[in-house]
Amino acid sequence: MTDAEIDDVDEAILYALQEDARNASSGDIAERTGTSDSTVRKRIRRLESDGVIKGYSASVDYQRSGYPLRMLLYCTASIPERGDIVADILEIDGVVSVQELVTGEQNLLVTAVGKTDGDITPVAQALLDMGLTVADEVLVRTHETTPFGKFDSGTRAPDDS
């Protein structure tokens, strides 16, 4: 999986980055983890090179940005091609994510956003044109995330109080 095992400091770094990667300086994270600024920077570089940190992105509220429809499309692809087709699905205008599912008949979960039904319908058609079966469509009202709690292992610098 990775060149080095993930320890409590790595987990605390991951938690801090999931909380707010944009504003989490290596100095702030070092203070939280009781390590040095340079240690945090080296650990982040290692986590990135090992593929544990895959990238950084903004969490967009599509509704507030003018795209009020978020549709989940549960699809079925042949098992040999389901992993290979993900990149092609991500190229469809309006698709913002694809998840490969390993249990159940539906083995791909495609998330698309749009302003109207007319924006979502072409996504479903493109999936059908790729040979996928669209088994179900779900309209999402809200979507919230949180940092993974197991990464918040309590690794903190000693309190001076």
Side-chain angles (χ1 to χ4, degrees), residues 1 7 19 42 45 63 76 89 105 118:
M1 177 178 1
D7 63 14
E19 276 185 315
K42 287 176 188 172
R45 280 194 298 275
Q63 186 164 0
T76 303
I89 296 170
E105 187 176 327

Side-chain angles (χ1 to χ4, degrees), residues 8-17 19 23-44 154-159:
D8 288 347
V9 173
D10 292 330
E11 288 180 352
I13 290 168
L14 293 170
Y15 190 84
L17 292 174
E19 276 185 315
N23 295 309
S25 72
S26 55
D28 292 339
I29 297 171
E31 187 175 313
R32 287 173 64 168
T33 60
T35 61
S36 71
D37 187 23
S38 64
T39 296
V40 169
R41 286 194 311 273
K42 287 176 188 172
R43 297 269 190 130
I44 290 172
T155 303
R156 300 282 186 269
D159 194 358

Side-chain angles (χ1 to χ4, degrees), residues 49-158:
S49 68
D50 287 350
V52 174
I53 297 174
K54 295 172 56 174
Y56 301 88
S57 62
S59 177
V60 175
D61 184 326
Y62 291 107
Q63 186 164 0
R64 288 186 178 193
S65 65
Y67 295 88
L69 297 181
R70 180 190 296 249
M71 184 71 69
L72 304 179
L73 299 112
Y74 289 88
C75 303
T76 303
S78 71
I79 291 173
E81 75 173 356
R82 82 174 162 205
D84 297 333
I85 201 166
V86 170
D88 295 331
I89 296 170
L90 287 168
E91 293 295 320
I92 298 170
D93 191 32
V95 172
V96 294
S97 75
V98 178
Q99 296 175 51
E100 188 176 350
L101 311 175
V102 294
T103 60
E105 187 176 327
Q106 290 81 44
N107 53 22
L108 292 171
L109 174 57
V110 178
T111 304
V113 298
K115 291 183 178 188
T116 67
D117 288 342
D119 294 333
I120 303 294
T121 301
V123 172
Q125 187 59 54
L127 294 169
L128 292 170
D129 292 346
M130 295 173 83
L132 301 175
T133 301
V134 178
D136 199 7
E137 299 176 6
V138 177
L139 185 60
V140 178
R141 179 183 296 254
T142 62
H143 176 87
E144 302 296 329
T145 62
T146 188
F148 182 52
K150 299 266 187 208
F151 288 159
D152 189 20
S153 62
T155 303
R156 300 282 186 269

